[in-house]
Amino acid sequence: MSVGDLIPQLAGLSYSPPSSRPLGLGGQNFTHCCLLALNDSLTIQSDGNLSYAPTSFVAPGISIEDLETAIQQNEFPCGATFNGDLGGAPPVQVPYRWCERRCPGWEISHSNAMQQWIGPLVQFIVPSLAFCTNVPRTRKLAIPDIVFKGHPRTLVGLMTYWIRLLGAGLLVTLDTVVWLAICFAFAGPMLLSAVYEYALDRKVLEFMAPPNGKPPNIPARLRAQLLLAVVVGNIRMATLEREELGSDSRHDSASSTDLEAKVSVRSRKSGRLVHNSVWKKVMVMVDEHEAARATGQKTIGVVSLPTKLKALLNSQASFGSTVGAPVLFFLGGFIYTVVDSDNNLGDNDTAHALAFGLWWMVIPYLAIISCAMLAANSPSTLDGIVYDGGTAAPTDDYELSFWKQQLRKAKAYKGIGFAIRKIAGYNPVETAFEGRFRTVKLWKRGLNKREWVREAISEYVASGDQSISPSELRNSLTLNRVDCSYVLVGALFAVLAPCVLAFLISYNTPQAGLSCRSLTYLVYAISQVCEMALWTCAARLRIRYGTRWHETNPIVKRICWWGQVFVGFFSIFAAVGGTSMQLLGVYRSCACKVPATFWPYLNDPDAFIVLSDNTAADIEAAERWWTIVGSTAVGVIGFVCALAWWHQRRLRKVFRDEANKLDGDEVISAPTTQGATW
């Protein structure tokens, strides 16, 4: 008589797992490991009754009678599921070395286990794909034009039509997935810059229309420029002019003839870069408005400046349609997941799937903040409003990015330069929007909008107007320490709140402690905080060096850049690698089932692994944490979404009211410089 004769689940038990897949590629099965451990723990006495073997892996305190009773009540330890009994199944636990010897490798996710990969993929990652499309971007994967040239009206076209359609779909999917990975890996600096821009919008508009106080006495031109900075502050500044070109004023060469007379960029000497090319094009709207008001004649057939400003404001899609409704549907699905989890109390896959979804809530937070800003993600409306000079106008010159600077240096080497020239003209990446105006990356938008505000201040100072002192104006439009602390706290909350909630679930899921999954959330959170710290350091340096930032190379700048590369590696590893390993099932291994505190002491008797399912400890942890943490996550993200919507609506109303006031303001002469005559 064997143990399998008394316990049918152990009958015919093989030494190897049932899968033919190699153990190193996910062929392990830990339910089978549990069966092996239980089989090694039992023996048959001479009287034919079950008894524990000298080395038993059943938890101490569980008698053989208790084990037999649990088996008879459908609570067999290996593969047990919740049946309403809070007592759970008897624990089966083995030392780490036993698991390493008998159950090496990892267990790949099974297609019939919904919470292992299908549930997290459909419930959390797929909605995040939709959320990330609302995050502003400057580049996207280029789709070759040949993909769209086929049509099904000919035999050849019909045969290639589906191939072209499939190719286009694959490229779009790849582009969206890559962008989602970028958003998730670098959410920290993105959120910090977005919250900074949001705070700057509030600072500017509340300066113009104080909630409790008298509006400042500022000229109409400055008012219009500040309103433009709010709605087009995400447009990248060009660097076309320099001081040594014989200009006595930073704004005296706005006409197309002057711009065409400039010497080539390569022949210019190093000097202080002057942001004015794009600025002047946009400020043509203000010049036209002032010219019309100065003559006292009503312009017929010309769109007024307030209307243009409100059109730029309204070009940003509605908050409710872009992110409000998606958040509502996302939370509805998440609430269902939390409520339904009560039917699977004690299931580790459900616990870690819930933690995974909480972690990925970083993306909805990023989408919410991105859609709360007043500047439109697309510059298309500005392209239609502002005359860009046509084909006669010179192309705007922009500061080279770090990668383009390195590419230019690489061309100096003979072999590398030859290879670069061979692939010249092929570019798998294209700009996200067509048109002359370019937007900046989200992690640069906050500082870029600050440049627009500073440009308006500089022009006001150059005009000699004394309606408000320059120092008072600068102080009023600069974020103080309190404002910056709010920005930092808000950005940290959006990044760390999902990580903390996910960490609580995984950390407290038995065997409780810091393990692979909770360690992933911890590494991700630390990397995001470090990225935000490095972004803050780089931002302070940019403010300090101003337009000389790209001409200088202090050691602090290099430290910031290499620090971002170093931290970015861990961030990408935690975000992309952690997600992949969770979905594939790499975390279902012996090393990840033991707490990390025992990794240096794997021979310790306390370094054991629980192989059974639905134990009393599992059920207790689920009752204590799942509903509370899940409900907290739903309530917090719902509150943040409502708060962002309310504040955006409030600022949009202030903007419209200030724009309408421009028709009633007196005309204040512009600085003694020549305006743009495109």
Side-chain angles (χ1 to χ4, degrees), residues 112-293:
N112 58 349
M114 297 294 294
Q115 294 302 329
Q116 288 187 357
W117 71 279
I118 297 179
L121 181 67
V122 174
Q123 293 173 332
F124 309 120
I125 294 184
V126 172
S128 296
L129 289 172
F131 280 118
C132 78
T133 59
N134 293 319
V135 179
R137 58 191 300 192
T138 59
R139 299 282 176 176
K140 63 180 180 179
L141 192 64
I143 302 179
D145 292 338
I146 192 174
V147 173
F148 302 103
K149 290 183 179 179
H151 53 80
R153 290 191 288 271
T154 63
L155 180 60
V156 176
L158 181 62
M159 295 175 62
T160 61
Y161 177 77
W162 304 106
I163 299 177
R164 296 171 190 266
L165 182 61
L166 178 61
L170 289 176
L171 287 175
V172 170
T173 302
L174 177 62
D175 174 66
T176 308
V177 171
V178 171
W179 177 238
L180 175 62
I182 293 173
C183 290
F184 194 39
F186 300 98
M190 284 184 171
L191 278 165
L192 189 58
S193 179
V195 177
Y196 183 93
E197 179 181 352
Y198 184 81
L200 193 57
D201 288 341
R202 180 191 60 82
K203 192 77 172 181
V204 171
L205 292 176
E206 289 188 353
F207 163 73
M208 300 172 65
N212 300 310
K214 182 180 179 181
N217 181 24
I218 58 176
R221 183 177 183 85
L222 177 59
R223 187 184 300 275
Q225 289 173 338
L226 291 177
L227 291 175
L228 278 170
V230 168
V231 290
V232 300
N234 61 325
I235 302 299
R236 186 178 180 183
M237 287 282 198
T239 58
L240 185 60
E241 301 173 1
R242 296 174 183 261
E243 284 186 334
E244 69 271 19
L245 296 178
S247 171
D248 294 330
S249 173
R250 63 187 311 174
H251 295 291
D252 66 349
S253 56
S255 65
S256 60
T257 54
D258 290 336
L259 294 175
E260 291 169 357
K262 299 298 181 188
V263 293
S264 65
V265 176
R266 294 181 180 178
S267 63
R268 297 173 188 164
K269 299 178 181 179
S270 176
R272 189 173 69 87
L273 298 176
V274 179
H275 291 162
N276 51 17
S277 174
V278 171
W279 169 267
K280 290 178 182 178
K281 293 186 182 74
V282 176
M283 292 308 144
V284 168
M285 292 186 287
V286 182
D287 297 334
E288 292 174 346
H289 175 74
E290 289 192 334
R293 297 296 305 278

Side-chain angles (χ1 to χ4, degrees), residues 281-282 284 288 382-392 437 677-678:
K281 293 186 182 74
V282 176
V284 168
E288 292 174 346
L382 186 64
D383 281 319
I385 291 177
V386 176
Y387 177 56
D388 62 2
T391 57
F437 295 109
T677 57
W678 297 104

Side-chain angles (χ1 to χ4, degrees), residues 219 222 456-470 473:
L222 177 59
I457 296 173
S458 298
E459 184 171 307
Y460 171 79
V461 174
S463 70
D465 194 295
Q466 295 297 323
S467 301
I468 183 174
S469 66
L473 181 62

Side-chain angles (χ1 to χ4, degrees), residues 192-523:
L192 189 58
S193 179
V195 177
Y196 183 93
E197 179 181 352
Y198 184 81
L200 193 57
D201 288 341
R202 180 191 60 82
K203 192 77 172 181
V204 171
L205 292 176
E206 289 188 353
F207 163 73
M208 300 172 65
N212 300 310
K214 182 180 179 181
N217 181 24
I218 58 176
R221 183 177 183 85
L222 177 59
R223 187 184 300 275
Q225 289 173 338
L226 291 177
L227 291 175
L228 278 170
V230 168
V231 290
V232 300
N234 61 325
I235 302 299
R236 186 178 180 183
M237 287 282 198
T239 58
L240 185 60
E241 301 173 1
R242 296 174 183 261
E243 284 186 334
E244 69 271 19
L245 296 178
S247 171
D248 294 330
S249 173
R250 63 187 311 174
H251 295 291
D252 66 349
S253 56
S255 65
S256 60
T257 54
D258 290 336
L259 294 175
E260 291 169 357
K262 299 298 181 188
V263 293
S264 65
V265 176
R266 294 181 180 178
S267 63
R268 297 173 188 164
K269 299 178 181 179
S270 176
R272 189 173 69 87
L273 298 176
V274 179
H275 291 162
N276 51 17
S277 174
V278 171
W279 169 267
K280 290 178 182 178
K281 293 186 182 74
V282 176
M283 292 308 144
V284 168
M285 292 186 287
V286 182
D287 297 334
E288 292 174 346
H289 175 74
E290 289 192 334
R293 297 296 305 278
T295 58
Q297 299 178 354
K298 272 197 171 182
T299 54
I300 301 176
V302 177
V303 180
S304 66
L305 178 60
T307 302
K308 292 179 180 178
L309 288 170
K310 288 182 285 187
L312 289 170
L313 176 68
N314 294 330
S315 63
Q316 175 73 300
S318 168
F319 184 90
S321 60
T322 54
V323 73
V327 166
L328 182 62
F329 283 104
F330 176 79
L331 292 183
F334 197 88
I335 292 173
Y336 174 81
T337 301
V338 173
V339 174
D340 185 63
S341 64
D342 288 340
N343 298 322
N344 298 304
L345 290 178
D347 181 30
N348 277 14
D349 289 334
T350 301
H352 294 305
L354 179 61
F356 183 81
L358 293 169
W359 182 38
W360 270 81
M361 276 190 174
V362 171
I363 298 298
Y365 277 110
L366 180 59
I368 289 170
I369 302 301
S370 299
C371 293
M373 298 180 292
L374 299 185
N377 297 336
S378 171
S380 302
T381 303
L382 186 64
D383 281 319
I385 291 177
V386 176
Y387 177 56
D388 62 2
T391 57
T395 304
D396 295 325
D397 179 30
Y398 292 96
E399 296 169 347
L400 294 178
S401 65
F402 175 83
W403 295 112
K404 289 186 177 180
Q405 292 178 19
Q406 301 306 312
L407 186 63
R408 174 177 290 183
K409 293 179 181 178
K411 290 181 180 179
Y413 297 95
K414 187 175 181 180
I416 300 177
F418 175 78
I420 293 175
R421 287 190 294 271
K422 282 295 183 182
I423 62 175
Y426 172 73
N427 190 2
V429 179
E430 63 183 5
T431 56
F433 305 102
E434 296 181 357
R436 183 154 190 168
F437 295 109
R438 301 184 188 180
T439 56
V440 295
K441 301 177 180 66
L442 180 57
W443 48 75
K444 293 183 178 180
R445 277 185 55 158
L447 291 179
N448 193 76
K449 179 166 286 189
R450 181 183 180 277
E451 288 297 321
W452 280 81
V453 174
R454 304 305 289 185
E455 196 74 17
I457 296 173
S458 298
E459 184 171 307
Y460 171 79
V461 174
S463 70
D465 194 295
Q466 295 297 323
S467 301
I468 183 174
S469 66
S471 59
E472 182 182 354
L473 181 62
R474 289 192 184 94
N475 293 334
S476 300
L477 296 176
T478 301
L479 297 184
N480 54 37
R481 291 186 177 182
V482 176
D483 297 324
C484 291
S485 64
Y486 288 154
V487 170
L488 183 60
V489 170
L492 284 173
F493 177 83
V495 172
L496 296 182
C499 298
V500 170
L501 295 177
F503 181 86
L504 287 175
I505 292 289
S506 286
Y507 184 89
N508 291 284
T509 296
Q511 188 174 350
L514 191 65
S515 59
C516 291
R517 292 180 178 87
S518 54
L519 191 61
T520 298
Y521 306 144
L522 182 61
V523 170

